[in-house]
Amino acid sequence: MRDARRVVVKVGSSSLTTAAGGLDADRVDALVDVLAQHAGRPDREIVLVSSGAIAAGLAPLGLTKRPRDLARQQAAASVGQGLLVARYTASFARYGRRVGQVLLTSDDTSRRAHYRNAYRTLGQLLSMGAVPVVNENDTVATDEIRFGDNDRLAALVAHLVRADLLVLLSDVDGLYDGNPATPGTRRIDQVRGPAELEGLDIGSAGRAGVGTGGMVTKVEAAGIAAGAGVPVVLTSAVHAADALAGRETGTYFHPTGRRAAGRLLWLAHASAPTGALTLDEGAVRAVVERRTSLLPAGIAGLEGDFSAGDPVELRDAAGRAVARGLVNFDAKELPRLLGRSTRDLARELGPAYEREVVHRDDLVLLRS
């Protein structure tokens, strides 16, 4: 951890705000004190994934708790995001550090061109000495294109920027084998793989009531990052300095996999399918076993109202999802293509139809 050059740090709403809503300036400054120290080192770069926009907007709008409806969440985010970034800007300015706001939706990062743009923007900010402050674009994100929580977003950003370490800051100092408030529970110092998490009572909700995450989302995010080759430290915000200095703290998740093609990780974990294609048995084998592209001849049916470029689920005859991919045709175009060879389609409809429905480079397996 001490040698990690590029580090993604995620902090939750409960570590930055009061339960009633509104930013806690002292908490923000305390976090920035730690981050600025490490961001100022020539051998280290920090990317901050920060929740808190919706929570920060509650009190200014006269809301006593996080609203459930999307429209008021977006309104609170619109007010709170400006307050959040202004607070970070002022706090980092004490150290002569600049910040750059980066707002993302899953749609921005599962599509090829958008993914490259996000990668270039974050890389350029880091190369110019700025601290990127990343958040989900809650002001415009709909249920269909939401990450769901910033823990998952942080895991995906860690892979996007090719981070050497992900630090997830919570209001709990690590993963416990039960409710931390219950006598006799113990903190788990290291997790070497998913099997070690079986049977644990992880819980579901955060304490403060202003965020969307809890320990479950943090453990899931740690699994995504570790599975993509990024080590993870899960600890409390008050121990951020220990985590970044490489001192023993919280729970350490060992990497369990290799770094995969970047967009495919987003496609698997951040995209919401807008439709589904049912494959015949031969197409399932071709896609899953031989890792080929999906051709019109192997599709038995479809559902949903999707457009070219949208993520769709690929299912077997029993309705089980076997893969997810970006489709090259609109839903209204596909019915006349199903079951036909690309050669016949090109001869009848033109060369534009001699192509894959889902190219293998835009496809990720969900089971093997």
Side-chain angles (χ1 to χ4, degrees), residues 151-152 155-156 159 219-230 232 256 265 269:
D151 296 310
R152 178 174 300 186
L156 296 168
H159 189 271
V219 171
E220 289 175 349
I224 292 171
V230 182
V232 182
T256 58
L265 195 72
H269 295 289

Side-chain angles (χ1 to χ4, degrees), residues 144-178:
E144 290 76 22
I145 59 171
R146 294 176 69 89
F147 292 104
D149 60 78
N150 273 344
D151 296 310
R152 178 174 300 186
L153 172 60
L156 296 168
V157 167
H159 189 271
L160 172 64
V161 301
R162 300 170 185 171
D164 303 304
L165 176 68
L166 170 63
V167 177
L168 297 173
L169 300 179
S170 173
D171 50 2
V172 181
D173 65 345
L175 175 63
Y176 282 73
D177 60 2

Side-chain angles (χ1 to χ4, degrees), residues 47-48 50 53 77-89 98-104 121-122 125 130-139:
V47 177
L48 175 62
S50 177
S78 179
V79 172
Q81 189 64 46
L83 297 173
L84 183 65
V85 172
R87 182 64 249 173
Y88 277 128
T89 299
R98 298 174 300 278
V99 303
Q101 178 178 249
V102 180
L103 299 177
L104 299 173
T121 298
L122 288 164
L125 284 169
V131 178
V133 178
V134 183
N135 198 354
E136 180 166 15
N137 194 354
D138 289 308
T139 60

Side-chain angles (χ1 to χ4, degrees), residues 186-272:
R186 66 177 184 85
R187 192 183 76 209
I188 299 171
D189 294 330
Q190 299 185 57
V191 175
R192 293 177 175 80
E196 296 187 7
L197 300 174
E198 294 178 3
L200 289 182
D201 178 16
I202 297 175
S204 59
R207 296 179 183 174
V210 294
T212 59
M215 191 54 67
V216 167
T217 67
K218 290 169 178 57
V219 171
E220 289 175 349
I224 292 171
V230 182
V232 182
V233 176
L234 169 60
T235 189
S236 63
V238 297
H239 295 304
D242 291 330
L244 290 172
R247 294 188 287 269
E248 185 174 335
T249 184
T251 302
Y252 179 74
F253 291 79
H254 291 260
T256 58
R258 297 178 179 178
R259 296 181 186 264
R263 271 185 331 109
L264 300 187
L265 195 72
W266 292 82
L267 186 61
H269 295 289
S271 66

Side-chain angles (χ1 to χ4, degrees), residues 275-279 294 299 301-302 306 312-315 334 357-358:
L277 305 177
T278 299
L279 281 55
L294 175 63
I299 304 175
L302 64 98
F306 49 83
V312 296
E313 210 166 59
L314 309 187
R315 299 173 180 170
L334 277 178
V357 176
V358 179

Side-chain angles (χ1 to χ4, degrees), residues 274-358:
T274 56
L277 305 177
T278 299
L279 281 55
D280 63 29
E281 186 176 340
V284 171
R285 286 198 303 270
V287 167
V288 174
E289 297 175 12
R290 300 200 301 274
R291 308 296 174 93
T292 65
S293 300
L294 175 63
L295 300 176
I299 304 175
L302 64 98
E303 64 180 67
D305 183 18
F306 49 83
S307 300
D310 285 345
V312 296
E313 210 166 59
L314 309 187
R315 299 173 180 170
D316 62 17
R320 294 172 297 189
V322 298
R324 187 174 297 170
L326 302 180
V327 67
N328 287 324
F329 295 92
D330 296 344
K332 62 184 180 182
E333 292 183 278
L334 277 178
R336 61 176 176 166
L337 311 184
L338 302 190
R340 303 179 62 183
S341 73
T342 53
R343 182 176 300 176
D344 288 344
L345 291 171
R347 184 166 49 245
E348 179 182 334
L349 302 174
Y353 288 87
E354 193 173 11
R355 57 189 169 127
E356 307 85 355
V357 176
V358 179

